[in-house]
Amino acid sequence: MSGFSFQVAPKVLESALSKAAAVVATSNAPQGKNFMLEVEDKCLSVLAFSSDTFVRLRVTEAKAKGSGVFGFDVARLQGIIKNRSEMEFNYDGADCAFKVLKGKYEGKFVTLPLGHDFESLLANFTKKLKSDSGSNRLSRDTMEKIRDGLRLTAIKDVYADKPLVSYLDMSNNKLTVSTLDTNHFAHFTADVDSKKSFRIALPISHFNVIDKVAQDDKFAEFEACNTHLRIQSGAASMILPATQADEETFSLVPQFIKSMKKPTLAASYDHESLCTVIDNMFTLYTVNSKLQFSHKEGKPTISVAFSTQSGSASDSIGIKSKIDASFSENVDPRLFKDSLSVLKAQKKVVFAVIAGRALVFKSKVSDTAAVVIVTSVSE
């Protein structure tokens, strides 16, 4: 019967537990999330996995001896160690005893069985970590561009208040990131320093988890394929699952953009002012609110009018180029605010109108990257 012991600062262990919980929360599997503590070669690790997700976090600050592994309830262990000073744990093959090094707090908890499929799942993930090595390794620069793409296309389903799935497509030194629903879509393009090819559908929350677990590690390695994303760093190994998606979905937004009619008009404008106007007006938002944009030929402004059951407001935004046309379009204020919010940090944005169809925002992110967001108009 194997056993082991270790000493660790609870804040350090709690950080690892929190990170492990964040990783398995990305799983597409509704059940079967497992947490384990392992000691091997005098190193303590936190393991967490489901049928499609895996993480091993090495707690390098811990002092450990012996060897073995046991399952545990993560919420229970987090409660046991909360706000405590340095602690010692001793696992005898059945129960795990604990005590603080300075004080009288002590006790034990019953560990959880590993399950009949533990060894096969662990072997499968270990094999996957090794077999992926180098297949689609992504540079730091490429990862930063992926992050830019996810951030600048992070529109959501405004009616269900849920984020949309991001569709990443990389081939021939080109990266595209797209998100879409029936009312608006976003599309990011960038040149990248990789000739690797892959398509993967991911929620943006995956990268929030990556940032939490491995962003501070300058030596972290990232690899991607159609089914999962693999991250390995000095203290962490992770496999995050992709979202199932039809192949044609990756081409939908590029096809929409190609099929769009030529804009009736386009102009650069004071983006910061428009963001402020919408933020101000949205405080009046209620059900059935109306947002209207209009322009009279030759005028140096675009008019914005907001009307709700709670009141109304209007303002005008300066444009930086002459528009030789008039227009008036209504748009769902929730869609418009959502589209505007992901571009809030951009300094230069071009506004375009496809009469009776859509409002379009374009921004050049760098010399080799750009984003387009298209929002449908209403009657």
Side-chain angles (χ1 to χ4, degrees):
M1 183 180 290
S2 61
F4 59 83
S5 64
F6 62 90
Q7 294 180 11
V8 67
K11 285 186 177 180
V12 172
L13 181 57
E14 165 55 27
S15 175
L17 295 176
S18 176
K19 290 175 180 178
V23 172
V24 294
T26 68
S27 173
N28 296 320
Q31 297 177 335
K33 297 177 176 65
N34 305 278
F35 292 85
M36 298 174 187
L37 286 176
E38 177 189 59
V39 169
E40 187 176 35
D41 296 330
K42 297 182 180 181
C43 180
L44 174 68
S45 296
V46 176
L47 282 71
F49 64 89
S50 67
S51 60
D52 61 359
T53 308
F54 173 82
V55 60
R56 182 195 298 270
L57 297 167
R58 286 163 283 282
V59 187
T60 56
E61 299 92 335
K63 299 176 182 178
K65 59 184 179 179
S67 64
V69 59
F70 67 76
F72 64 94
D73 181 292
V74 65
R76 183 171 296 167
L77 183 54
Q78 286 173 321
I80 287 171
I81 67 176
K82 186 177 181 180
N83 296 327
R84 289 291 176 172
S85 58
E86 187 93 2
M87 295 181 70
E88 180 179 83
F89 294 80
N90 284 279
Y91 172 59
D92 62 7
D95 298 335
C96 184
F98 60 86
K99 64 179 182 179
V100 293
L101 298 185
K102 295 181 180 180
K104 296 183 178 181
Y105 179 57
E106 62 179 5
K108 68 177 182 178
F109 60 89
V110 177
T111 61
L112 301 180
L114 301 182
H116 67 278
D117 57 348
F118 161 68
E119 289 188 2
S120 61
L121 279 171
L122 186 59
N124 179 55
F125 283 122
T126 301
K127 181 180 178 182
K128 191 174 289 187
L129 285 167
K130 291 181 179 178
S131 64
D132 281 355
S133 183
S135 59
N136 267 322
R137 187 167 293 170
L138 306 176
S139 68
R140 280 276 167 177
D141 179 68
T142 298
M143 283 300 298
E144 286 306 312
K145 287 181 178 177
I146 288 176
R147 283 191 175 87
D148 286 342
L150 291 168
R151 174 178 56 83
L152 292 168
T153 59
I155 57 175
K156 63 182 181 180
D157 180 341
V158 297
Y159 305 112
D161 194 26
K162 292 181 178 180
L164 298 172
V165 172
S166 299
Y167 298 91
L168 285 71
D169 190 348
M170 196 169 82
S171 62
N172 300 319
N173 299 105
K174 292 286 185 181
L175 167 72
T176 66
V177 183
S178 303
T179 52
L180 74 158
D181 63 11
T182 56
N183 301 291
H184 59 344
F185 62 79
H187 187 60
F188 172 88
T189 58
D191 293 342
V192 292
D193 58 356
S194 174
K195 293 183 179 180
K196 301 291 185 180
S197 298
F198 67 87
R199 283 180 165 181
I200 187 169
L202 296 169
I204 192 172
S205 57
H206 276 26
F207 279 79
N208 296 335
V209 171
I210 292 170
D211 287 345
K212 181 174 183 176
V213 176
Q215 174 67 2
D216 292 336
D217 192 330
K218 296 180 180 179
F219 302 102
E221 295 180 353
F222 304 87
E223 294 179 25
C225 68
N226 294 358
T227 60
H228 62 270
L229 188 66
R230 185 186 74 84
I231 304 95
Q232 285 193 305
S233 68
S237 300
M238 287 183 284
I239 292 176
L240 303 180
T243 301
Q244 291 186 347
D246 296 329
E247 278 294 304
E248 56 265 27
T249 309
F250 291 88
S251 303
L252 283 177
V253 171
Q255 289 173 358
F256 289 155
I257 292 175
K258 285 183 180 179
S259 65
M260 286 194 313
K261 293 182 178 180
K262 186 178 179 180
T264 309
L265 52 92
S268 57
Y269 64 96
D270 189 332
H271 184 61
E272 184 177 359
S273 293
L274 181 57
C275 290
T276 298
V277 168
I278 297 303
D279 285 344
N280 293 156
M281 292 181 173
F282 216 79
T283 59
L284 296 171
Y285 178 81
T286 59
V287 177
N288 298 324
S289 295
K290 294 181 180 180
L291 180 62
Q292 183 184 65
F293 291 85
S294 60
H295 173 261
K296 289 186 177 180
E297 183 178 348
K299 283 202 168 185
T301 59
I302 293 175
S303 297
V304 185
F306 193 78
S307 60
T308 79
Q309 295 175 351
S310 301
S312 61
S314 62
D315 205 343
S316 60
I317 304 298
I319 53 177
K320 299 176 182 178
S321 55
K322 185 179 179 182
I323 300 177
D324 293 323
S326 297
F327 75 88
S328 179
E329 299 288 353
N330 297 315
V331 63
D332 186 320
R334 291 168 294 182
L335 288 173
F336 190 83
K337 182 175 173 61
D338 183 54
S339 300
L340 208 62
S341 64
V342 298
L343 296 175
K344 209 163 190 177
Q346 294 303 108
K347 299 298 182 183
K348 295 182 179 180
V349 182
V350 173
F351 173 81
V353 177
I354 301 175
R357 300 292 297 274
L359 302 181
V360 182
F361 297 96
K362 295 182 179 182
S363 181
K364 187 176 181 181
V365 182
S366 68
D367 290 339
T368 59
V371 63
V372 177
I373 297 181
V374 179
T375 300
S376 61
V377 298
S378 51
E379 296 181 356

